Amino acid sequence: MSTFTRSSTSTSTSTSTDGKNGTMNGTTTEAPTRRPHLSGMTWLVWRQHRAAFWTILAATALSVAWIVYQRGQLVDFLDGYGYPGKSLDEAGGKLQQYIDAFSLVSFGLQGIPILLGVFLGAPLIAGDLENGTAKLVAAQSMSRTRWLVTKLALAGLVVVVSTGVLSAVFDWWWNPVKSEITVMDWTSGEAFNTTGPVPVALTLFSVFGGVAVGVVLRRTLMAMVVTFGFTVVLQIVWGYFQMSLGNVITVTTNKGVMEESAFPSMPKGAYQIDDSYLTSSGDLVGWSTCSGSGTDAARQACLDKAGVVGFSVDYLPMSQMNAMQWFGASILFALTAGVVAFLFFWGRKRLV
C-alpha cells in the first residue's frame, strides 16, 4: 500500500578541517524536508471515496465560476439600466433572462441535498457492510470507532465546503436585486433554501441520514432508494414549516377601509400572511363581510353596522430572513447531531 507522500530536499553544508594542511573542506548533504500529506486511515478513506469527493469539489468549482460570470453580467445590466434609480418593473423582457438564470441555478442547488444523500451518504458505509470491507477493517489494529469518525469527518468536510461556498456565492449573486420579489421571492425555497446556513444544514442532515439508513439496511441499492424517499420527504416537510420560523408582525389601522390609502403599508419585500377587517371591539372579520352590498354607499353602511373601522394585516419582514435561516439551520444541525450519536452508540456495534 502506498501513501500520498511527497518529499523535497534541502541543501545543507558542513565543514571540516584537513588535519594535514589545515584547510577547510566543505561537504554538501541533502536533507529531506517533510510536507503535510494524508496518511493512515485518512488516506485510506479518501482513496476509497476519492471519485465521489473529487466529483463534488470539481462540480462546485465549475458552478462557482459560472455564478461569478452571471453576477458580472447582472451588474453590468443593472448599471446600464440605471437601477436602483429606475424601477425594474419597466425592464420587461430584458430582465427575464436573469430571472431564468436564478431559477435554473436555484433548482440545481435545491437538488444537492437529495443527490448527495443518495449517492454519497447511503453508500458511504452500506457498501462496506455489503462487500465485507467492514469486516476487514474490524480485523485491523485501528478501531471501528476511528474508522467511523474518519468516514463521517471527511464526508462532512466535503459537504460543508461545497455547500457553504455555493451558498455564499449564490447569495452574493442575488444581493444586488435581493429586495425585488419579481426577481426571486425570499420566502420561496428558491432563495430561502439556497442561501445562508440552510443549504449546509439540509445537506448534512440528508447525507448523515443516508449513512444511518445504510447502516440499518446494509444493502447499498436498497439504502439509496430509501434515502431518496427520506430526502424528498425532508424537503417537503421543511418547505411546509419554514415560514413558521419567524416572528409574525401585526399592523392595524382605524381609518376605515373604503379609501385606497386605508390599507396599512408594509416594508418592501415583506411576506403578507393574512389580512382581515378590524372592528371597533378588536374582533377580526373576513373580507367577505358586506361584499354583496351593491353600491359603495350600501357597502359602507353595512361595514358601519358591522363596526368595521380598519384593517389587520399579519406579515413577515425580509429583515427576519437571516434569523429565520439560522434558527431553522440550528434545528437541522441538532437533528444531524442526533443521527451521528445514533451511528456511534448503536451503529458501530453492527459495523461487521
Side-chain angles (χ1 to χ4, degrees):
M1 184 183 297
S2 61
T3 59
F4 291 133
T5 57
R6 294 180 179 179
S7 62
S8 62
T9 58
S10 61
T11 303
S12 61
T13 304
S14 61
T15 60
S16 61
T17 304
D18 191 329
K20 185 177 289 187
N21 53 28
T23 61
M24 302 294 290
N25 296 326
T27 58
T28 302
T29 60
E30 299 294 325
T33 302
R34 295 180 62 84
R35 293 180 180 177
H37 62 276
L38 296 178
S39 61
M41 185 62 71
T42 304
W43 175 86
L44 179 63
V45 172
W46 177 270
R47 185 170 179 81
Q48 182 183 10
H49 301 285
R50 66 188 184 279
F53 292 158
W54 280 121
T55 299
I56 293 169
L57 295 175
T60 299
L62 291 174
S63 300
V64 167
W66 194 81
I67 291 175
V68 169
Y69 170 76
Q70 288 296 324
R71 209 261 186 186
Q73 295 290 102
L74 175 64
V75 171
D76 290 342
F77 164 75
L78 295 176
D79 291 342
Y81 180 75
Y83 181 82
K86 192 176 179 181
S87 174
L88 288 179
D89 293 339
E90 305 171 11
K94 297 179 181 179
L95 183 64
Q96 190 59 45
Q97 61 176 317
Y98 301 102
I99 297 177
D100 292 342
F102 276 118
S103 298
L104 176 64
V105 176
S106 176
F107 178 79
L109 294 180
Q110 290 181 85
I112 288 177
I114 298 175
L115 290 175
L116 294 190
V118 172
F119 293 103
L120 177 63
L124 192 71
I125 294 177
D128 294 333
L129 294 172
E130 187 174 17
N131 60 31
T133 304
K135 291 183 179 180
L136 178 62
V137 171
Q140 306 305 311
S141 59
M142 294 184 182
S143 67
R144 287 175 292 177
T145 300
R146 183 177 176 184
W147 175 63
L148 183 59
V149 168
T150 307
K151 283 253 186 181
L152 297 180
L154 278 180
L157 179 62
V158 171
V159 167
V160 170
V161 169
S162 59
T163 55
V165 169
L166 288 172
S167 171
V169 175
F170 186 73
D171 190 34
W172 175 65
W173 177 24
W174 177 42
N175 191 63
V177 290
K178 201 167 188 176
S179 61
E180 300 292 337
I181 296 180
T182 55
V183 176
M184 195 164 61
D185 186 357
W186 70 272
T187 63
S188 67
E190 288 184 324
F192 196 88
N193 296 338
T194 55
T195 58
V198 174
V200 178
L202 270 175
T203 308
L204 270 180
F205 186 44
S206 298
V207 170
F208 286 171
V211 173
V213 171
V215 168
V216 173
L217 298 181
R218 306 172 69 89
R219 293 292 183 270
T220 303
L221 183 58
M222 186 183 302
M224 293 173 71
V225 172
V226 174
T227 300
F228 175 77
F230 162 72
T231 53
V232 170
V233 171
L234 172 62
Q235 294 276 354
I236 295 172
V237 173
W238 172 257
Y240 182 78
F241 286 105
Q242 68 185 30
M243 284 300 103
S244 63
L245 299 171
N247 297 315
V248 177
I249 295 176
T250 301
V251 59
T252 60
T253 62
N254 58 0
K255 300 179 180 179
V257 298
M258 295 297 290
E259 299 295 331
E260 291 184 3
S261 59
F263 197 81
S265 61
M266 293 178 291
K268 188 175 183 180
Y271 171 64
Q272 183 176 321
I273 299 173
D274 193 16
D275 54 72
S276 306
Y277 288 141
L278 178 68
T279 66
S280 56
S281 61
D283 296 329
L284 301 179
V285 294
W287 278 81
S288 60
T289 303
C290 302
S291 60
S293 300
T295 64
D296 288 346
R299 186 182 175 210
Q300 183 63 61
C302 177
L303 292 171
D304 292 339
K305 184 178 180 180
V308 173
V309 295
F311 291 99
S312 176
V313 178
D314 298 332
Y315 72 92
L316 289 172
M318 190 177 183
S319 59
Q320 289 191 21
M321 179 181 180
N322 188 253
M324 291 169 62
Q325 287 179 314
W326 276 106
F327 179 44
S330 66
I331 296 174
L332 292 171
F333 285 137
L335 293 173
T336 302
V339 172
V340 173
F342 163 80
L343 288 170
F344 278 104
F345 292 104
W346 184 90
R348 68 175 183 174
K349 299 177 182 179
R350 304 176 182 343
L351 292 181
V352 291

